[in-house]
């Protein structure tokens, strides 16, 4: 394929300067200010519409039906549509009820349906909705308009729980911008299907919620919704306008409820584990002439303790921590010159993880728990133990963590410490706080850091974010070269004009020892402006949105531009559940040193130093997430430095039955540099097979192929969940080489193979 010369034509004959970019930045800032002025403002003041939740007058049998006298005495909440026709009545009769007793918060759904054969119940697998009908509950337990817990159940009784932070704003689910899907806690549910529809009851222990007492009363925020999958219809209470993506999960838009006379609950959970297994790895012998097989076996014991010190403060202790049951990371291929980011999946770090959130722009953050107990390559490092304290003290959110790692090979034992404090200021939607981190090694090396941050709701949906962070290591610093500063002004809305303006600066010596950063020694100017049109009732669209985005990274050393990008994008969402986007982007890169790609691990392509301007187009589309068969394709084409690139990807999923789900993804990159006679293809393929005989017994097989490393990796996890906290895990991992003859000595068929069995049992005292 030959592309026209215009794809390779530089836009600028010489490297961009600070003046070039700043003039464009000022122009976009003025447009953003204009958008802020012409858009309607929303007042802070709200009427006190807090609902007093009645205490249940009698016992509840958890069977899904909610037909006991205690339930009948509670008036139902009647919802309205969120999508597709916001504000309209539900097309199927729906009733929500909320009550409580001394120990539990109870919620029920009566999901009547005139076509019970159309009720979607596609899976038994834990933490998967799989396009099913569902009952979803969001609870802002601390009433802070910022964080919340999600509890979801489907007609099969499948349970899903998650945690929300940052008021469900800033990035999406895919990027992990505001939701932690790996969070788990203790709660119960029951569901049933009959000739009238499907019905559900949820029982949540107060010990799992964590909340604040004021005058013998507890005020929380709550949002409940029902999804009718075949109609792609979601009905919600309270009525919620579609002012933002996922607005029905925003704590700031939740209904306030009051519970009186709830007594403190401070349980102690003790969870010991026993682990045994065997495996082998193939490693080069001392003469590097052949691979030899090293067999090993393991047996271990450990224990985790969770204690509710108060209703709003929880302590976790861990001794000889193990993460054998954790799912494998997704394979990634790095076609940039920056580090890849991998999310945290280990359960010990999940509870109220949003308290520890201190993001400094993009994927960068002052604290990233994956730096504890894992090397940069993802290899586990043994943890001797640690302690964790999260919750609220007075008006302060508190997060504390201290963990000790063991020696591992050439790595010294290290101590990791984190302290996070923040509180509401000015109004219920703003907060300010700080963070301190430390990484101290037994060989005397250290890295400590601190940060100050604040998010301030100035008016309406307009927010100002300010952050400053500074790190210290085994060296002297000149001026503030070890610091990082960020300021952002944004409108958090999906209605009318929106904008985001960011100014960030990072010094050359900024290095968070237990954080993540992709580049240093830069000044960033980043702007976007958008307009969203909410479609009328006759339109097939829910909304569509037009963006203009632009960013530039300027070198602090000489004021020249290192990277820049600008371009429009269009996004749309359909009432049938589908949606997609189209974007175009003009990029500029000024390379001072050659850039080595990872497209071929044996003979990687190299981009020479120089200034490059290139252009690309991308598009993606997805059908409704409730469809039983989905493909979700995406594609892109354009120039790439002094060559060109074509990308294609798909994320298929097939819900065959409630017992079996097939899914995965495939991505293909073709990169060519015609003038240098270089080209290569990159393939990443993933296949996931989930099976579940019921809500307790399940398997998850995850196979991945990476053409760069020429390997296939397998992660198979069998789980029997006796009840929440009592689990039997059988885990199998293997890594295979697909082209053994490409190196000498010949590679082994198997790099490594492990087989582990783990049992955990939780005692509640």
């Amino acid at each position: 394929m030959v592309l026209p010369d215009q794809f390779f034509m530089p836009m600028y004959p010489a490297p961009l300067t600070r003046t070039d970019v700043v003039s464009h930045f000022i122009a976009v800032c003025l447009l953003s200010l204009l958008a802020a002025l012409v858009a309607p403002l929303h007042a802070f003041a709200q009427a006190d519409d807090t609902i007093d939740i009645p205490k249940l007058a009698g016992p509840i049998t958890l069977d899904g039906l909610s037909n006991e006298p205690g339930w009948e005495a509670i008036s139902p909440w009647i919802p309205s549509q969120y999508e597709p026709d916001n504000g309209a009545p539900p097309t199927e009769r729906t009733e929500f009820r909320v009550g409580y007793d001394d120990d539990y918060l109870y919620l029920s759904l009566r999901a009547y349906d005139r076509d019970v054969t159309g009720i979607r119940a596609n899976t038994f697998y834990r933490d998967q909705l799989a396009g099913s009908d569902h009952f979803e509950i969001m609870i802002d337990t601390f009433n802070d308009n910022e964080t919340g817990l999600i509890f979801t159940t489907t007609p099969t009784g499948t349970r899903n729980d998650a945690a929300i932070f940052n008021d469900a704003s800033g990035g999406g689910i895919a990027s992990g911008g505001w939701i932690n899907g790996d969070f788990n806690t203790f709660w119960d549910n029951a569901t049933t299907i009959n000739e009238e529809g499907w019905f559900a009851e949820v029982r949540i222990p107060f010990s799992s919620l964590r909340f604040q007492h004021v005058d013998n009363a507890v005020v929380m925020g709550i949002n409940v919704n029902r999804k009718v999958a075949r109609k792609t219809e979601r009905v919600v209470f309270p009525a919620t306008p579609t002012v933002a993506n996922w607005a029905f999960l925003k704590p700031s838009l939740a209904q306030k409820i009051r519970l009186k006379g709830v007594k403190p609950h401070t349980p102690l959970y003790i969870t010991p584990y026993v682990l045994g297994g065997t495996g082998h790895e193939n490693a080069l012998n001392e003469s590097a002439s052949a691979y030899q097989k090293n067999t090993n076996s393991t047996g271990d014991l450990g224990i985790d303790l969770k204690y509710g010190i108060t209703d709003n403060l929880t302590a976790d202790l861990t001794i000889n921590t193990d993460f054998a049951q954790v799912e494998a990371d997704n394979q990634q291929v790095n076609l940039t010159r920056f580090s890849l980011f991998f999310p945290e999946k280990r359960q010990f770090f999940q509870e109220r993880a949003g308290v520890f959130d201190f993001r400094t722009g993009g994927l960068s953050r002052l604290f990233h728990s994956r730096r504890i107990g894992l090397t940069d390559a993802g290899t586990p490092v043994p943890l001797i133990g640690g302690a964790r304290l999260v919750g609220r003290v007075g008006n302060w959110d508190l997060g504390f963590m201290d963990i000790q790692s063991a020696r591992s090979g050439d790595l010294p034992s290290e101590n990791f410490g984190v302290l996070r404090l923040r509180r509401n200021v000015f109004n219920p939607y703003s907060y300010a706080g700080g963070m301190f981190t430390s990484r101290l090694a037994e060989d005397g090396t250290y890295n400590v850091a601190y940060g100050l941050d604040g998010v301030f709701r100035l008016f309406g949906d307009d927010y100002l974010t300010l952050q400053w962070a500074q790190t210290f290591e085994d060296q002297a610093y000149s001026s503030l070269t070890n610091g990082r500063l960020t300021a952002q002004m944004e409108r958090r809305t999906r209605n009318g004009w929106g904008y985001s303006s960011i100014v960030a600066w990072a010094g050359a010596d900024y290095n968070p020892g237990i954080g993540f950063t992709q580049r240093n020694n830069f000044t960033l100017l980043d702007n976007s402006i958008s307009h969203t049109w909410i479609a009328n009732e006759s339109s097939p669209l829910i909304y569509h949105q037009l963006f203009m985005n632009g960013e530039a990274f300027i070198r602090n050393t000489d004021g020249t531009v290192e990277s820049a990008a600008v371009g429009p994008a269009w996004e749309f969402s359909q009432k049938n559940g589908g949606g997609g986007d189209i974007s175009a982007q003009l990029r500029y890169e000024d390379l001072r040193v050659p850039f080595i790609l990872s497209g071929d691990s044996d003979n990687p392509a190299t981009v020479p130093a120089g200034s490059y301007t290139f252009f690309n187009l991308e598009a993606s589309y997805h059908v409704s997430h409730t469809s039983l068969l989905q493909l979700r394709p995406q594609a892109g084409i354009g120039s790439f430095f002094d060559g060109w690139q074509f990308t294609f990807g798909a994320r298929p999923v097939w819900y065959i039955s409630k017992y079996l789900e097939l899914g995965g993804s495939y991505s293909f990159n073709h990169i060519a540099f015609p003038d240098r006679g270089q080209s290569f293809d990159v393939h990443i393929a993933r296949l996931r097979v989930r099976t579940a005989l019921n809500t307790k017994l399940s398997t998850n097989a995850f196979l991945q192929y990476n053409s760069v490393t020429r390997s296939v990796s397998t992660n198979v996890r069998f789980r029997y969940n006796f009840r929440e906290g009592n689990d039997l895990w059988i885990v199998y991992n293997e890594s295979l080489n697909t082209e053994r003859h490409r190196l000498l000595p010949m590679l082994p068929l198997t790099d490594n193979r492990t087989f582990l069995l783990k049992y955990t049992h939780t005692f509640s005292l």
Side-chain angles (χ1 to χ4, degrees):
M1 181 176 181
V2 178
L3 296 180
D5 292 340
Q6 287 86 344
F7 270 101
F8 310 105
M9 185 179 296
M11 185 174 222
Y12 296 89
L16 292 172
T17 65
R18 187 193 305 263
T19 303
D20 296 325
V21 174
V22 169
S23 61
H24 289 84
F25 181 79
I26 293 173
V28 177
C29 282
L30 292 175
L31 288 173
S32 298
L33 179 60
L34 178 62
L37 293 175
V38 302
L41 302 181
H42 305 285
F44 284 124
Q46 295 180 357
D48 183 9
D49 60 350
T50 303
I51 296 176
D52 287 306
I53 301 300
K55 200 166 186 178
L56 289 163
I60 298 297
T61 301
L62 207 67
D63 57 9
L65 291 175
S66 65
N67 55 5
E68 294 86 355
W71 279 126
E72 296 293 349
I74 294 177
S75 299
W77 292 352
I78 306 301
S80 61
Q81 283 194 48
Y82 177 79
E83 289 175 343
D85 296 316
N86 187 258
T91 62
E92 301 292 344
R93 179 184 167 193
T94 303
E95 297 177 359
F96 302 119
R97 287 175 172 81
V98 182
Y100 70 101
D101 61 18
D102 290 338
D103 300 306
Y104 300 94
L105 179 68
Y106 289 84
L107 303 101
S108 72
L109 165 71
R110 295 182 182 179
Y112 297 97
D113 203 310
R114 289 166 293 179
D115 179 14
V116 293
T117 61
I119 295 173
R120 295 276 181 84
N122 297 335
T123 187
F124 280 120
Y125 198 87
R126 178 74 156 90
D127 289 325
Q128 294 295 314
L129 297 181
S132 301
D133 287 44
H134 56 266
F135 174 34
E136 188 166 52
I137 304 151
M138 191 290 299
I139 306 177
D140 175 6
T141 62
F142 284 126
N143 191 32
D144 59 11
N145 299 295
E146 183 77 14
T147 61
L149 302 178
I150 298 176
F151 304 89
T152 312
T153 186
T154 71
T156 58
T158 300
R159 295 188 302 157
N160 181 31
D161 37 25
I164 288 176
F165 51 97
N166 201 37
D167 195 26
S169 301
I173 288 180
S175 65
W178 51 264
I179 190 166
N180 177 10
D182 293 308
F183 167 82
N184 286 314
T185 191
F186 295 94
W187 59 289
D188 300 297
N189 69 314
T191 60
T192 188
I193 302 175
N194 60 30
E195 67 280 359
E196 293 185 286
W198 74 279
F199 303 84
E201 291 176 305
V202 170
R203 182 177 65 192
I204 308 172
F206 286 123
S207 57
S208 292
L209 291 179
R210 302 289 164 229
F211 46 80
Q212 190 109 321
H213 275 94
V214 178
D215 298 329
N216 198 36
V218 175
V219 176
M220 303 181 185
I222 191 169
N223 189 313
V224 289
N225 72 81
R226 171 196 180 185
K227 182 76 171 184
V228 185
R230 72 180 184 279
K231 298 183 178 183
T232 63
E233 177 182 325
R234 188 182 301 275
V235 299
V236 298
F237 185 91
T240 306
T242 57
V243 294
N245 293 330
W246 307 94
F248 62 92
L249 294 179
K250 290 176 73 67
S252 63
L253 298 179
Q255 171 67 53
K256 304 303 181 184
I257 60 172
R258 183 185 293 111
L259 292 77
K260 296 180 180 179
V262 178
K263 298 178 181 179
H265 294 75
T266 56
L268 171 63
Y269 297 107
I270 302 174
T271 308
Y273 79 84
V274 57
L275 171 73
T278 184
H280 73 262
E281 63 177 0
N282 289 297
L284 281 171
N285 58 21
E286 293 184 0
S287 63
S289 60
Y291 285 85
Q292 63 182 23
K293 182 177 180 180
N294 300 317
T295 302
N296 55 72
S297 59
T298 184
D300 217 344
L301 298 170
I303 190 170
D304 293 335
L305 293 90
K306 181 185 292 289
Y307 178 59
I309 299 175
T310 66
D311 267 356
N312 55 5
L313 197 61
T314 304
D316 289 276
L317 301 176
T318 180
I319 300 173
N320 199 23
T321 313
D322 179 78
F323 303 109
Q325 73 277 23
V326 174
E327 184 178 331
D329 288 318
N330 285 348
Q331 292 277 342
Q332 299 185 49
V333 171
N334 196 352
L335 299 177
T336 74
R337 61 186 192 278
F338 307 112
S339 300
L340 294 174
F341 178 82
F342 292 90
E344 178 62 83
K345 296 185 178 182
R346 298 170 294 178
Q347 195 56 224
F348 177 77
F349 297 103
Q350 302 303 335
E351 181 167 342
R352 285 190 66 80
V355 172
F356 295 95
D357 189 56
F358 194 115
R359 306 196 182 196
T360 52
L363 295 172
S364 298
R365 55 207 67 198
L366 186 60
F367 170 64
H368 184 36
S369 57
R370 268 189 72 100
R371 301 294 299 276
I372 301 174
L374 288 171
T375 66
D376 291 340
T379 305
V381 176
L383 296 180
I384 297 172
R388 193 172 179 270
L389 185 68
V390 293
R392 175 166 285 198
V393 178
N395 294 321
W396 290 89
D397 287 322
L398 167 67
F400 168 78
M401 190 182 306
D402 189 85
I403 296 177
Q404 185 72 36
S405 70
R407 295 177 187 172
S408 179
D410 296 331
L411 298 176
S413 175
E414 293 184 288
N415 180 267
F416 302 86
V418 185
L419 175 64
R420 174 65 154 144
L421 292 168
R422 69 178 186 184
R423 62 166 296 166
N424 281 108
V425 293
F426 305 138
N427 58 62
Y429 308 96
S430 304
Y431 73 84
M435 174 176 278
F436 174 80
T437 71
S438 64
R439 184 172 186 170
L440 312 176
E442 64 176 338
D443 60 5
T445 58
Y446 68 89
N447 180 290
V448 296
Y450 77 92
L452 303 172
D453 69 332
V455 177
F456 310 102
R457 186 177 180 182
L458 302 184
F459 42 83
D461 297 312
D462 296 85
Y463 287 77
L464 171 66
T465 300
L466 298 174
Q467 295 174 327
W468 165 256
Q470 196 170 14
T471 66
F472 301 89
E473 289 186 297
D474 316 296
Q475 59 182 357
Y477 301 98
S478 61
S479 186
L480 297 175
T481 59
N482 56 335
R484 180 165 180 150
L485 176 68
T486 303
Q488 178 181 13
M489 188 72 188
E490 64 176 328
R491 169 162 292 149
R492 298 180 177 180
T493 184
R494 195 186 69 182
N495 190 7
W497 288 102
Y499 66 91
S500 173
S501 296
I502 302 173
V503 178
W505 175 90
D509 299 311
Y510 176 76
N511 179 30
I514 46 178
F516 181 83
T517 188
Q518 290 188 309
R519 61 169 109 195
N520 284 342
N521 204 20
F522 67 85
T523 299
L524 168 65
L525 305 177
D526 186 345
N527 270 285
S528 69
I529 188 169
S530 66
H531 192 277
T532 305
W533 292 266
I534 304 299
N536 57 40
E537 293 184 6
S538 61
S539 173
L541 298 179
I542 296 174
Y543 74 90
H544 62 109
Q545 190 174 56
L546 186 64
F547 299 84
M548 176 59 75
N549 303 310
E551 66 176 20
F553 288 89
I554 302 169
R555 296 185 178 95
N556 292 336
T557 52
D558 58 10
T560 59
V561 176
E562 180 182 10
S563 303
V566 64
W570 180 62
E571 178 184 305
F572 64 95
S573 177
Q574 299 171 281
K575 290 182 179 178
N576 64 10
D581 60 79
I582 301 172
S583 64
Q585 191 176 65
L586 183 69
R587 293 180 56 191
Y588 172 85
E589 294 285 347
D590 183 37
L591 302 181
R592 295 285 176 86
V593 296
F595 166 35
I596 300 176
L597 290 168
S598 63
D600 189 321
S601 59
D602 298 332
N603 185 29
T606 300
V607 179
S611 297
Y612 301 88
T613 301
F614 45 103
F615 176 81
N616 68 285
L617 295 168
E618 294 183 354
S620 69
Y621 181 77
H622 65 83
V623 299
S624 170
H625 293 288
T626 63
S627 298
L628 299 181
L629 179 62
Q630 304 171 33
L631 184 60
R632 295 178 287 188
Q634 58 189 55
I637 190 169
S639 48
F640 185 73
F641 293 93
D642 58 336
W644 67 278
Q645 179 182 22
F646 170 73
T647 65
F648 173 79
R651 294 176 293 116
V653 63
W654 184 15
Y655 305 122
I656 299 174
S657 75
K658 58 187 176 183
Y659 306 105
L660 177 62
E661 172 192 334
L662 298 180
S665 64
Y666 171 73
S667 65
F668 168 74
N669 275 270
H670 175 76
I671 296 177
F673 301 100
D675 293 344
R676 294 185 276 117
Q678 287 186 314
S679 67
F680 60 87
D681 296 332
V682 176
H683 303 266
I684 295 287
R686 305 185 185 103
L687 173 64
R688 188 185 301 277
V689 182
R690 290 191 176 106
T691 65
L693 294 181
N694 49 48
T695 57
K696 296 182 178 297
L697 184 63
S698 63
T699 61
N700 184 344
F702 189 30
L703 287 77
Q704 301 186 80
Y705 169 72
N706 186 328
S707 68
V708 174
T709 59
R710 297 174 173 85
S711 64
V712 173
S713 61
T714 303
N715 171 251
V716 181
R717 297 179 300 147
F718 167 89
R719 180 187 186 186
Y720 187 78
N721 176 229
F722 299 89
R723 63 180 180 86
E724 193 66 27
N726 293 7
D727 288 289
L728 173 67
W729 293 91
I730 301 175
V731 182
Y732 175 78
N733 292 301
E734 185 168 13
S735 179
L736 302 174
N737 291 300
T738 61
E739 296 183 29
R740 300 174 58 196
H741 298 278
R742 61 189 174 91
L743 294 176
L744 291 176
M746 185 177 70
L747 296 171
L749 176 62
T750 302
D751 275 339
N752 56 74
R753 179 185 298 155
T754 60
F755 180 84
L756 297 169
L757 186 148
K758 181 179 179 180
Y759 178 69
T760 63
H761 192 97
T762 299
F763 300 92
S764 178
L765 304 177

